[in-house]
Amino acid sequence: MFSALRLRSAALALGVCFILPADARTSQPGNMASEQARHIATLFPGRMTGTPAEMLSADYVQQQFEQMGYQSDIRKFKTRYRYTTKDKQQNWQNVIGSTVIAAHEGTLVQQIIIMAHLDTYAPRSDADVDNNLGGLTLQGMDDNAAALGVMLELAQALKAEPTQYSVRFVATSGEEEGQLGAESFLARMSEKERKNTLLVINMNNLIVGDKLYFNSGKNTPASVRKLTRDRALAIARSHGILAMSTPTNAAKNQHCCSDADVFDKAQIPVLSVEATNWSLGNKDGAQQRAKSKMFPNGTSYHNARLDNQQYIDQALPGRIERRSRDVMRIMLPLVKELAKAGKK
């Protein structure tokens, strides 16, 4: 395993170069991302795994990839999760999830995976229902339409770019029920595919949190952290964008869980991109911002009343467009560097 990680480090190191000038066609980074996020949140609220809204959103994302010229497919997977009633009875909910995959083929066998989950939270108990968590009206702008928008804009920007390493775009489902879609995707990967995966970039909760954070997986080698997490922070600084990594003393208590954890446990290098606020004194990074009248718990997680574009526009004017722009200004040059864009 150590030798495989060293090979990944070496491969990524060979791919890093200086930041390239922004392409004229992307002079307004983030515009497409924010427009796509608003469209997905508006047309497909309640994207709970296995529901018609989830299936329709997967179809929509696939159609977007195909319109860009990508080969794209939807993988179905069967899974289940527990639902707890008020009298503490637990029942299994059987669902069929949809994961969308599109590939930008490089000239070499190694690949970088960019992920964002498309599902919204499904109530796991009667208590969730009583507290308005999840359900058919949850737009999930922060969790996780905005990340889907960024992924689609990255795909559009990279479509005409020749790269040495392949870039695979994956919109997972089942994340809110315990990373079920990511586990299914990983289980279908051959041992050769796993070894050839240099990095998994997972984007989640990009809007409501005060600051952008770029964190490496616990099992990501220091050499890869330097080329990925540290490089992302350097690009952010060059643009005057506030971005950080998890404080060292809190690294063992990272907010759990996301699709990135599935790949981290499999010893595949990971870079997580999210917005939160570790400086508030919380030990797990789960509090996104200071508590306020607009965000009484300092979060918007799974709350249908808070995690929608109308509420976010009112509480945080301009945030959706501004944060989409900032993430794109960091992620696009980073992915181009790592994938060796422009090299044959």
Side-chain angles (χ1 to χ4, degrees):
M1 183 60 66
F2 178 70
S3 60
L5 291 174
R6 289 184 62 185
L7 284 172
R8 291 186 181 116
S9 302
L12 284 171
L14 290 172
V16 172
C17 60
F18 294 106
I19 301 175
L20 299 175
D23 190 291
R25 291 170 298 174
T26 57
S27 59
Q28 296 296 326
N31 283 359
M32 176 182 173
S34 59
E35 289 172 3
Q36 287 283 9
R38 289 183 180 278
H39 188 78
I40 291 168
T42 300
L43 265 65
F44 311 109
R47 302 180 297 279
M48 299 173 288
T49 305
T51 62
E54 181 248 20
M55 290 184 279
L56 288 170
S57 65
D59 286 340
Y60 173 79
V61 172
Q62 183 194 29
Q63 289 169 11
Q64 295 305 297
F65 283 132
E66 290 181 340
Q67 287 177 14
M68 295 175 198
Y70 286 95
Q71 268 195 318
S72 179
D73 68 297
I74 297 177
R75 288 184 184 175
K76 300 289 186 179
F77 62 96
K78 294 181 180 180
T79 190
R80 61 180 186 169
Y81 63 93
R82 287 190 180 94
Y83 185 92
T84 305
T85 63
K86 290 179 180 178
D87 58 4
K88 307 302 181 184
Q89 296 295 314
Q90 291 191 332
N91 304 307
W92 284 106
Q93 306 294 309
N94 296 306
V95 295
I96 298 177
S98 305
T99 292
V100 187
I101 303 168
H104 174 88
E105 299 295 345
T107 57
L108 301 177
V109 296
Q110 290 86 359
Q111 68 175 355
I112 294 168
I113 296 174
I114 299 177
M115 303 185 75
H117 74 88
L118 60 80
D119 61 309
T120 54
Y121 186 76
R124 305 285 290 277
S125 66
D126 286 346
D128 280 352
V129 174
D130 292 342
N131 288 303
N132 200 33
L133 298 180
L136 296 173
T137 62
L138 175 58
Q139 285 191 3
M141 170 56 76
D142 181 59
D143 190 14
N144 196 33
L148 287 174
V150 170
M151 184 173 69
L152 288 170
E153 184 168 337
L154 285 172
Q156 177 65 51
L158 290 170
K159 183 62 188 73
E161 291 275 359
T163 60
Q164 288 199 6
Y165 300 143
S166 296
V167 180
R168 199 166 302 276
F169 301 96
V170 182
T172 62
S173 187
E175 194 268 356
E176 298 290 6
E177 286 73 48
Q179 303 79 53
L180 302 177
E183 289 178 352
S184 174
F185 180 83
L186 178 65
R188 295 190 187 191
M189 292 176 69
S190 66
E191 187 61 32
K192 184 177 181 181
E193 285 179 301
R194 295 187 187 202
K195 288 182 179 178
N196 286 331
T197 301
L198 302 175
L199 181 70
V200 174
I201 300 174
N202 187 67
M203 299 182 292
N204 198 17
N205 300 108
L206 298 180
I207 303 299
V208 171
D210 283 330
K211 309 169 188 175
L212 282 173
Y213 284 79
F214 293 82
N215 291 321
S216 297
K218 295 178 183 178
N219 296 308
T220 299
S223 55
V224 177
R225 293 180 185 217
K226 181 178 180 180
L227 297 169
T228 57
R229 179 198 65 188
D230 295 352
R231 184 66 181 129
L233 295 176
I235 295 172
R237 285 195 297 271
S238 73
H239 290 297
I241 299 169
L242 178 62
M244 309 177 74
S245 61
T246 300
T248 303
N249 61 359
K252 294 182 179 180
N253 300 308
Q254 288 189 24
H255 175 41
C256 183
C257 298
S258 74
D259 284 341
D261 300 314
V262 173
F263 295 90
D264 186 34
K265 291 174 183 176
Q267 305 292 317
I268 296 174
V270 164
L271 176 66
S272 292
V273 185
E274 67 174 337
T276 184
N277 194 330
W278 284 86
S279 64
L280 294 171
N282 50 314
K283 298 295 184 181
D284 60 1
Q287 189 174 335
Q288 297 170 289
R289 55 190 305 105
K291 295 180 180 180
S292 66
K293 181 179 179 181
M294 300 300 285
F295 297 96
N297 296 319
T299 68
S300 64
Y301 293 131
H302 309 153
N303 192 314
R305 187 179 66 84
L306 305 182
D307 191 5
N308 65 77
Q309 60 178 317
Q310 294 85 0
Y311 192 88
I312 293 173
D313 284 340
Q314 178 187 359
L316 304 168
R319 171 64 68 84
I320 294 172
E321 283 68 30
R322 185 166 57 252
R323 185 60 59 75
S324 297
R325 181 185 67 238
D326 287 349
V327 175
M328 277 300 304
R329 291 170 75 191
I330 299 168
M331 291 302 301
L332 183 55
L334 177 68
V335 173
K336 283 185 175 182
E337 288 183 6
L338 295 175
K340 293 187 176 182
K343 298 183 180 181
K344 298 181 179 179

